[in-house]
Amino acid sequence: AMAVSRVALERVGLLDEELFAYLEDVDWCLRIREAGLRVVFVPSARAWHRVSASTGGPASPASLRYHCRNSLAVSERHAPLAPVATAVRRGVVVAAHLLQALRQPRRGRAFGAVVRGWRDYRRGRMGRVA
């Protein structure tokens, strides 16, 4: 859960719809910080919701695809690196998601979802994927 000031909304706008699911909140916080405002974590705050209900659970193929794609997008938007370092970071992000896919009952589908997320990012295919 997030509470965002009107000043922050006016300076940075709303969540980026291109991210659709996963890391849009991280991107938003980074944009707020880049606008010179503070982002504060309040560990005593509590919120309850169904985790990943819209994408089928935290390790569903859809979740893996969006999370892989959006991890690449957000990291490269906010922390650009030299080409070789960018390639290494992309490899680490994709590898981390592939390792998560290894733990899924349907590994083939999970692996394919990670690869599709990587390809989506490389092709600039953002937003909700049909």
Side-chain angles (χ1 to χ4, degrees):
M2 296 174 71
V4 180
S5 70
R6 168 174 251 146
V7 171
L9 288 171
E10 289 171 352
R11 284 197 198 170
V12 304
L14 300 173
L15 292 168
D16 184 350
E17 292 182 24
E18 282 195 341
L19 296 174
F20 171 66
Y22 305 106
L23 283 92
E24 69 278 15
D25 53 344
V26 173
D27 174 72
W28 207 21
C29 288
L30 291 169
R31 288 174 25 224
I32 290 168
R33 285 183 64 199
E34 289 163 1
L37 301 170
R38 290 184 333 137
V39 174
V40 180
F41 172 64
V42 181
S44 60
R46 298 285 181 257
W48 291 266
H49 67 89
R50 290 190 60 184
V51 176
S52 305
S54 63
T55 57
S60 71
S63 294
L64 287 167
R65 181 178 187 170
Y66 286 124
H67 202 279
C68 181
R69 181 196 71 186
N70 293 353
S71 294
L72 294 166
V74 171
S75 64
E76 292 186 19
R77 283 180 189 174
H78 297 283
L81 299 171
V84 171
T86 296
V88 170
R89 177 171 54 198
R90 286 180 181 179
V92 168
V93 168
V94 173
H97 287 86
L98 289 172
L99 286 172
Q100 186 176 5
L102 271 175
R103 295 183 287 200
Q104 304 314 310
R106 293 181 161 181
R107 289 183 187 159
R109 287 186 63 202
F111 266 70
V114 172
V115 170
R116 283 189 300 279
W118 172 66
R119 285 184 183 154
D120 287 346
Y121 177 71
R122 290 198 54 193
R123 294 174 179 161
R125 186 175 184 192
M126 301 300 289
R128 188 173 194 157
V129 180

